[in-house]
Amino acid sequence: MQGFFDTKIEFLKGVGPQKAALLNKELNIFTYGDLLQHYPFRYEDRTKFHTVRELNGTMPYVQIKGRIRNIETAGPPRKRRLKAYLRDETGEIELVWFKGVQWVLQKLQPGVEYMVFGKPTAFGSKLNIAHPEIELLTHQNEDVSYLHPIYHTTERLKKKYLDSKAISKLQRTLLQLAEHRIRETLPQKLIADYRLLSKKEALFGVHFPQNTELLQKASFRLKFEELFYVQLRLLKLKLARVDKFKGQIFQDTELLTRFYNEHLPFDLTDAQKRVIKEIYHDMKSGKQMNRLLQGDVGSGKTIVAFICMLLAVGSGTQGVMMAPTEILATQHYQGLKEYADSMGITIALLTGSTKKSERRIIHEYLKSGDLNIIVGTHALLEDVVQFKKLGLAVVDEQHRFGVAQRSKLWQKNRDVYPHVLVMTATPIPRTLAMTLYGDLDISVIDQLPAGRKPIKTVHRYDSNRLRVNGFIKEQIDEGRQVYIVYPLIEESEKLDLKHLMDGYESICRSFPDIPVSVVHGKMKPDAKDYEMQRFVKAETKIMVATTVIEVGVNVPNASVMVIENAERFGLAQLHQLRGRVGRGADQSYCILISDYKLSKEGRVRLETMVRTNNGFEIADTDLQLRGPGDLTGTQQSGVLDLLIADLGKDGKILQVARGAAIGLLDADPDLSHPDNRNIRSQIESMRKTAVNWSRIS
Ligand code: ADP
Ligand code: MG
């Protein structure tokens, strides 16, 4: 049975070797099964005919029927236009062609009834339809009117006559062949509980929907199935880990009590207290913790991490914190060191640029247990880095580490894996987190420390520059510091760098008495560092930079973030950049500068930034604008090769599917019950075809 869907696509009637090669290359379609899973991405409503009188210029594509009354051509030979008038019982509309005139002319016959499909456009009070699809009306095509599926295709495919219509025809051929071979891929109980269509009905329904209700049901069924299997896989991973991996049990809270009573620098927010409780619960439970800690920029994750380290260190183990960049690692180290010193806990920093001699000592002290906490970059993953007993690994991930790297950290402890806390500052919409990190438990710090003034964000155009400069001057006169950030992307690196340097010079001219720093990715690390330090020490008042500061410096005295060409940044990046200010007690500002000309999406991004400071709201908008692929970086994208579901839109279905997967695993953790046979064989066949299953474990 399975074999049939593995049949090479070239053997399908109407394909052949040449087209097959193109389908392989352009759409990744290799087999019958692949073609069936090449779902339409939208539909045109061909279920009903409009009358000519109903039409107006605001309508999308419409279908009408009528007879051609008159055909005429106009214009010079090379620019000949063809006009035909289609009449039904309610009126008449002009159809017009600018290309292929000769061909249409041969085909059209006056007096015969046609069906016509196209977009009505208004010219003054007149309507016409340019380049409509037109077909003789026969009893056959009048009866089989349905929602017309539109398939993704490419220019090269179209050249070989594989347009959407042709793909649709292939689907029909294939479905007829396959009809009796489509087997159910979900258990009957789920189908009954969630009132799903059968797999066969769903496949027919999604490729050839008779009506919108059926289409909706068919696509629900397929999306549900897709998301169900993603969730099942993640939940099974989690189960396997919980079973397999015992966790170290930490009990000793003496350090914690002392820190709370004597050294806690401020009251924790309720959200911080809640997540600490969640984490402590895990670390005392006897199961290995794998938890994602989400918290917006400035929400205070560092101290949470430290307090968790206290439990590990207090119980006689060590803690490690890994960050994706040297700047970030250094900053974490500085933050943690202050707390650690107050408690007499030993801590060190290990990065690529740690000196060899120092490195050797660190390695030694880690192994002997003299070092309680180590902070660093990838350098921590090297084999020479050995712990006496690693209790807690904190990974500041920001999508930069892959799952594989994460698990490399675990293995630093031979007998028992350490507890793992993954921190991310990029708020991930819940739906996405559930898919990407569905194998982790999730804690969220959804509250900023009290007394923070929300950052005021405005959007200004290039022409407002003088006023912006005036404002910058005022802020500096009040003792504040200012960031001015320029975009720099690889594709236009040279030009971007020039913009940055031009900007730098113009700033120096506009503020002749004010010391200005400039930092960009092309500078040598020590030159960069030197400039950064000057700004940190407030020797310079303005920092002109590329996004290198995105994950970097913490300068509470900086109160203004100016972002040049703001329309070129993604939402997540804008939000990260804005998070660089608003760290002190002063009112902070973010000024987004753009050209007057903005794409629709660019405008939505800037409006979103002006409207809200809430990272989760921004992440949701981002997900809707861009789809999930871009949000996640490449390392995890394998998890997100979804064929039909859309995480931006199908959050609800995801919830339902996850619920179903949880329920199922509760009742039958190893999927051995006969009722779940379908699931086992489906997982088996997915394992064969998709790399995904192995990629994430
Ligand atoms: P994150 O890493 O989540 O972006 P940080 O841990 O760097 O945030 O904290 C940002 C700033 O807020 C730091 O200066 C920190 O000392 C301070 N902070 C953290 N928690 C609190 C709190 N509960 N009350 C006041 N200030 C806090
Ligand atoms: Mg931080």
Side-chain angles (χ1 to χ4, degrees):
M1 236 172 22
Q2 191 55 38
F4 175 78
F5 293 96
D6 292 334
T7 312
K8 289 216 180 89
I9 195 68
E10 71 169 284
F11 299 119
L12 187 65
K13 189 164 164 271
V15 180
Q18 270 198 2
K19 286 183 178 171
L22 262 184
L23 284 169
N24 295 172
K25 200 152 146 215
E26 298 284 299
L27 296 177
N28 253 328
I29 294 173
F30 290 86
T31 64
Y32 284 8
D34 293 341
L35 181 64
L36 274 187
Q37 293 192 71
H38 184 63
Y39 301 118
F41 69 94
R42 69 182 175 91
Y43 299 84
E44 283 166 354
D45 190 353
R46 304 271 183 110
T47 53
K48 65 165 178 271
F49 290 95
H50 283 91
T51 61
V52 168
R53 192 191 302 157
E54 285 169 347
L55 303 185
N56 66 59
T58 66
M59 288 170 126
Y61 286 80
V62 294
Q63 182 168 252
I64 51 180
K65 60 183 169 184
R67 291 175 200 282
I68 301 284
R69 180 179 63 81
N70 189 22
I71 303 171
E72 55 190 54
T73 56
R78 286 184 166 276
K79 291 191 170 173
R80 208 149 57 119
R81 272 172 298 146
L82 172 66
K83 286 182 184 175
Y85 297 89
L86 186 91
R87 164 175 274 181
D88 70 4
E89 57 279 12
T90 67
E92 192 171 272
I93 186 167
E94 182 184 298
L95 312 177
V96 57
W97 285 264
F98 306 100
K99 283 193 229 157
V101 167
Q102 198 54 38
W103 190 74
V104 182
L105 203 52
Q106 278 171 14
K107 213 171 72 164
L108 282 188
Q109 299 169 41
V112 180
E113 198 165 26
Y114 286 100
M115 51 192 265
V116 168
F117 181 80
K119 160 115 188 69
T121 309
F123 289 96
S125 61
K126 271 182 68 183
L127 279 182
N128 77 21
I129 300 181
H131 285 271
E133 274 181 41
I134 186 161
E135 226 175 275
L136 281 179
L137 186 72
T138 62
H139 278 301
Q140 240 175 348
N141 60 22
E142 193 173 26
D143 288 345
V144 297
S145 61
Y146 50 77
L147 286 164
H148 208 73
I150 308 295
Y151 293 91
H152 173 60
T153 171
T154 67
E155 286 310 314
R156 297 177 68 185
L157 284 167
K158 281 189 209 158
K159 270 199 195 121
K160 291 279 174 225
Y161 309 105
L162 281 171
D163 58 3
S164 170
K165 214 167 177 176
I167 292 178
S168 170
K169 210 167 146 201
L170 293 180
Q171 297 284 15
R172 189 173 287 285
T173 309
L174 178 56
L175 273 172
Q176 271 160 11
L177 269 182
E179 183 163 3
H180 300 292
R181 297 184 162 103
I182 298 171
R183 61 185 178 81
E184 187 46 62
T185 44
L186 287 172
Q188 283 310 321
K189 183 164 164 25
L190 276 189
I191 292 177
D193 286 355
Y194 293 90
R195 301 194 186 173
L196 303 173
L197 293 187
S198 72
K199 179 78 173 231
K200 186 162 112 187
E201 288 169 316
L203 284 174
F204 273 88
V206 85
H207 288 294
F208 299 103
Q210 301 295 318
N211 55 53
T212 38
E213 196 199 335
L214 213 65
L215 169 62
Q216 202 263 331
K217 281 186 161 166
S219 91
F220 181 87
R221 145 82 208 218
L222 294 173
K223 289 174 175 182
F224 176 94
E225 172 176 343
E226 183 164 51
L227 295 168
F228 171 81
Y229 277 105
V230 170
Q231 288 303 317
L232 194 68
R233 165 182 69 193
L234 291 165
L235 290 163
K236 268 199 73 76
L237 269 180
K238 184 163 150 185
L239 265 184
R241 199 178 46 225
V242 169
D243 275 359
K244 231 187 339 214
F245 308 135
K246 290 217 164 36
Q248 308 172 57
I249 299 178
F250 296 154
Q251 290 293 2
D252 197 330
T253 53
E254 186 261 319
L255 283 181
L256 175 78
T257 316
R258 184 147 61 84
F259 184 67
Y260 256 84
N261 291 341
E262 296 168 23
H263 302 290
L264 192 68
F266 35 66
D267 290 334
L268 296 177
T269 62
D270 288 341
Q272 284 170 319
K273 287 183 200 159
R274 175 168 42 75
V275 302
I276 290 171
K277 217 180 256 167
E278 286 165 0
I279 295 166
Y280 265 56
H281 179 267
D282 282 357
M283 294 203 292
K284 291 175 173 184
S285 71
K287 290 178 182 163
Q288 186 222 6
M289 172 172 78
N290 259 284
R291 192 171 273 282
L292 176 72
L293 176 60
Q294 282 197 60
D296 217 337
V297 182
S299 60
K301 291 183 294 296
T302 316
I303 195 156
V304 169
F306 180 74
I307 289 174
C308 298
M309 296 254 181
L310 283 178
L311 184 60
V313 171
S315 309
T317 67
Q318 292 158 293
V320 57
M321 164 110 84
M322 183 162 80
T325 64
E326 184 148 352
I327 295 176
L328 203 55
T330 309
Q331 203 169 342
H332 277 316
Y333 170 71
Q334 282 159 353
L336 293 177
K337 185 168 170 30
E338 206 174 302
Y339 304 138
D341 286 351
S342 74
M343 294 289 293
I345 289 174
T346 49
I347 184 168
L349 175 69
L350 182 69
T351 70
S353 51
T354 306
K355 285 202 191 70
K356 231 181 175 176
S357 52
E358 204 176 325
R359 206 177 266 248
R360 203 170 317 125
I361 299 176
I362 289 175
H363 291 162
E364 200 175 298
Y365 283 3
L366 271 180
K367 211 164 173 182
S368 68
D370 289 317
L371 201 50
N372 301 127
I373 297 175
I374 181 85
V375 182
T377 55
H378 290 83
L380 292 167
L381 295 175
E382 287 173 23
D383 289 336
V384 288
V385 179
Q386 300 282 332
F387 293 83
K388 178 155 189 252
K389 195 165 173 48
L390 180 59
L392 173 64
V394 180
V395 184
D396 195 352
E397 183 165 75
Q398 313 215 347
H399 307 310
R400 283 186 176 90
F401 293 113
V403 182
Q405 282 170 308
R406 242 196 276 151
S407 72
K408 208 163 170 188
L409 253 193
W410 302 8
Q411 281 147 31
K412 291 279 172 189
N413 231 30
R414 287 286 130 71
D415 43 343
V416 201
Y417 283 152
H419 295 293
V420 176
L421 184 67
V422 180
M423 301 201 303
T424 167
T426 316
I428 309 168
R430 220 181 145 65
T431 45
L432 194 58
M434 274 191 333
T435 310
L436 269 183
Y437 296 101
D439 60 327
L440 308 185
D441 295 306
I442 298 178
S443 289
V444 181
I445 309 184
D446 49 6
Q447 186 181 17
L448 293 183
R452 285 278 166 80
K453 295 197 181 77
I455 301 163
K456 287 189 182 152
T457 304
V458 294
H459 174 201
R460 295 282 179 264
Y461 296 102
D462 289 325
S463 53
N464 303 127
R465 192 163 304 274
L466 272 182
R467 273 181 53 201
V468 171
N469 280 354
F471 180 72
I472 291 176
K473 181 83 173 48
E474 269 171 36
Q475 288 287 305
I476 292 174
D477 286 346
E478 285 178 31
R480 308 283 109 75
Q481 287 165 278
V482 176
Y483 294 106
I484 302 177
V485 175
Y486 284 80
L488 192 152
I489 56 169
E490 244 168 81
E491 293 88 75
S492 52
E493 194 174 326
K494 275 216 179 96
L495 195 63
D496 283 347
L497 213 53
K498 182 174 175 324
H499 286 158
L500 171 94
M501 292 318 286
D502 289 351
Y504 170 62
E505 276 162 27
S506 124
I507 286 290
C508 291
R509 275 196 306 273
S510 309
F511 303 98
D513 310 327
I514 293 173
V516 182
S517 279
V518 61
V519 169
H520 56 79
K522 287 279 141 200
M523 286 161 72
K524 292 242 164 61
D526 36 346
K528 203 157 72 183
D529 221 46
Y530 175 77
E531 280 300 311
M532 289 245 193
Q533 286 310 321
R534 292 215 306 151
F535 187 70
V536 171
K537 290 188 209 134
E539 289 168 16
T540 54
K541 303 295 176 188
I542 297 177
M543 158 80 86
V544 178
T546 56
T547 44
V548 284
I549 58 161
E550 187 184 345
V551 288
V553 287
N554 182 15
V555 181
N557 189 47
S559 66
V560 183
M561 169 64 65
V562 180
I563 304 178
E564 297 282 347
N565 290 117
E567 75 280 4
R568 287 181 52 198
F569 290 88
L571 263 178
Q573 230 179 352
L574 288 173
H575 183 61
Q576 287 285 321
L577 283 170
R578 178 168 61 183
R580 293 295 115 199
V581 296
R583 303 196 146 219
D586 310 304
Q587 177 64 54
S588 290
Y589 305 87
C590 176
I591 303 173
L592 307 167
I593 299 187
S594 81
D595 204 8
Y596 275 107
K597 269 220 306 261
L598 281 175
S599 70
K600 202 168 139 216
E601 274 194 19
R603 189 170 292 281
V604 173
R605 285 199 296 269
L606 299 188
E607 281 166 5
T608 305
M609 289 295 294
V610 171
R611 183 183 71 239
T612 180
N613 273 305
N614 182 324
F616 285 94
E617 197 179 327
I618 289 170
D620 266 329
T621 309
D622 205 19
L623 185 60
Q624 269 153 37
L625 283 180
R626 299 200 294 169
D630 291 355
L631 285 181
T632 51
T634 46
Q635 273 153 337
Q636 275 128 342
S637 62
V639 188
L640 289 165
D641 291 340
L642 298 175
L643 295 169
I644 187 163
D646 174 345
L647 291 177
K649 297 188 184 121
D650 298 325
K652 286 226 173 70
I653 304 179
L654 174 65
Q655 303 259 16
V656 177
R658 184 173 167 88
I662 290 174
L664 191 106
L665 284 174
D666 272 349
D668 183 16
D670 50 5
L671 302 175
S672 58
H673 195 277
D675 286 353
N676 293 330
R677 209 177 41 228
N678 286 348
I679 294 187
R680 286 196 307 278
S681 47
Q682 181 63 6
I683 290 179
E684 195 47 46
S685 75
M686 287 165 79
R687 197 175 267 141
K688 270 205 316 215
T689 51
V691 266
N692 291 357
W693 283 79
S694 55
R695 203 185 292 171
I696 84 146
S697 51

